[in-house]
Amino acid sequence: MRTELLLAAVAGGVGTYLIRFLPMLAGDRLAALSGKGRSRRFLLALGPSAIVALLVLSARDLIVADGDTLSLPFGVLAAGAAVVVLVQRLTHNPALATLAGALAVGLGQALNFS
Amino acid sequence: MTAQAGFRRGLWDGISLVVGYFSIALSFGLLAVRLGFSPLEAQMVSAVVYAGASQFALVSLLAVGASAWSVAGVVVAMNLRHLFYGPALLSRMPADGPRLPRPLLAFGMTDEVFALASASLTRAHGDRWLFGVQMAAYGAWLAGTAAGAFASRWDVARLPAVDAALAFVLPALFLALLLPMLTRRHVLSLVVAGGTALMLAGWLPGHVTMLVAMVAGAAVAALRPQGGGDDAD
């Protein structure tokens, strides 16, 4: 195994791990606070904000082709999104809605190419 | 929920991540081997770093001769957004009772695990559930990397329909997780986070856009006047 790769992976991995772990030490103390302060509201809102940001970035990657990134027809994407919304509303199961949406996009793309 | 049941439920709930992680890790395994790294080296990077986009950057930069320390710096900078994930999830867990060591939970705190846990985690789930989700995702990540490294031996013609379905898995997951959150209480912070991401995405790298959008949305939620039931999530 190459030394440069091992060094970069271990240093990058340890750095990433510390970024994930060290704030948890403060997080335990924050979690113990049952107050309704701004810091608590900030922490609770991080999840929904992260999800919407991830949705925007991942959907943008599918619409705007960049290098090796796959670009899909808007109609296929819209059909996939509609299936996700429908299945999530009916089942309240994100895993099922995800798989149904992916299958719909795959099917749409297959029909698009045939 | 018992500890064992919580872990099993977490593994089950992590299935939606498994499909997405496997396909992205497969791409990483393929890329790493095509850039001249061995399957074992690709697997080592996935096992040790375990952070999607920064792994792609790591092998790409090393392949063009960048130094190990500069590459490690890039990896760490790209993952700075993870700073907030631990505290945000811990605030939803029981403060007392038996619990898993925090160093163990920290390792698997990725974007998608955080997103799924933010949408699903309640005090009834507990940290065993979170650990189950993390193990499902990590297992898929390692398996996908191995499959990609293995598949790189053959010049397999790719199927557009399968590519399209796999590429849509993560956006579909985020959309499904977002739907239950579309309430009047969340709408302003969601609009700010989504709008910020949309505006910055064409100008800044994805990991920076993500961090700025996340903080902007959460800051709006923290600063708005406090009403009834603000903290119930």
Side-chain angles (χ1 to χ4, degrees):
Chain A
M1 190 168 292
R2 270 160 280 201
T3 311
E4 282 287 290
L5 176 72
L6 192 60
L7 197 58
V10 170
V14 169
T16 299
Y17 176 76
L18 291 176
I19 286 170
R20 291 171 180 169
F21 171 60
L22 292 178
M24 291 179 93
L25 298 176
D28 266 332
R29 284 192 288 275
L30 282 173
L33 298 172
S34 57
K36 297 191 174 189
R38 283 182 174 169
S39 61
R40 183 168 167 75
R41 291 208 300 278
F42 179 84
L43 290 177
L44 287 175
L46 277 173
S49 299
I51 291 171
V52 77
L54 285 165
L55 174 62
V56 168
L57 292 172
S58 57
R60 187 182 180 278
D61 283 347
L62 292 184
I63 295 166
V64 182
D66 179 21
D68 290 336
T69 307
L70 185 69
S71 177
L72 296 175
F74 183 76
V76 172
L77 284 176
V83 168
V84 172
V85 172
L86 184 68
V87 176
Q88 175 65 24
R89 290 284 184 219
L90 291 174
T91 66
H92 303 285
N93 183 333
L96 205 56
T98 302
L99 292 176
L103 285 175
V105 165
L107 189 62
Q109 187 75 344
L111 294 173
N112 207 37
F113 269 79
S114 62
Chain B
M1 198 183 291
T2 65
Q4 206 174 10
F7 179 74
R8 279 201 304 266
R9 176 73 186 273
L11 280 177
W12 176 250
D13 289 347
I15 282 177
S16 53
L17 294 181
V18 166
V19 183
Y21 266 39
F22 187 88
S23 59
I24 298 170
L26 189 130
S27 305
F28 171 74
L30 276 170
L31 175 75
V33 174
R34 283 177 185 168
L35 287 173
F37 298 98
S38 70
L40 182 65
E41 288 173 330
Q43 199 67 36
M44 184 275 291
V45 172
S46 274
V48 173
V49 180
Y50 186 37
S54 61
Q55 287 185 210
F56 285 84
L58 185 149
V59 292
S60 301
L61 289 171
L62 283 177
V64 296
S67 76
W69 291 114
S70 66
V71 172
V74 170
V75 169
V76 170
M78 287 179 75
N79 294 325
L80 274 176
R81 66 189 183 281
H82 296 176
L83 273 171
F84 297 106
Y85 293 175
L89 289 186
L90 287 180
S91 66
R92 294 159 180 264
M93 289 184 190
D96 45 10
R99 58 188 199 179
L100 291 172
R102 295 309 183 225
L104 187 65
L105 288 175
F107 181 73
M109 210 65 86
T110 63
D111 291 327
E112 290 76 14
V113 166
F114 175 64
L116 179 65
S118 294
S120 314
L121 185 63
T122 64
R123 290 185 188 277
H125 282 91
D127 52 9
R128 265 76 177 178
W129 177 87
L130 179 61
F131 189 59
V133 171
Q134 290 180 335
M135 285 301 98
Y138 189 53
W141 191 251
L142 296 180
T145 304
F150 186 69
S152 65
R153 295 179 182 186
W154 297 285
D155 189 18
V156 184
R158 305 191 77 182
L159 299 170
V162 175
D163 274 355
L166 292 177
F168 190 68
V169 166
L170 286 180
L173 172 64
F174 298 136
L175 178 60
L177 294 176
L178 184 65
L179 288 172
M181 295 177 177
L182 294 176
T183 61
R184 183 183 286 186
R185 184 161 59 90
H186 282 127
V187 75
L188 183 60
S189 58
L190 292 178
V191 166
V192 169
T196 305
L198 201 58
M199 280 191 299
L200 298 181
W203 306 92
L204 297 174
H207 60 279
V208 179
T209 300
M210 164 93 190
L211 179 62
V212 176
M214 206 169 82
V215 171
V220 167
L223 293 174
R224 87 186 158 174
Q226 196 172 349
D230 261 1
D231 284 346
D233 212 7

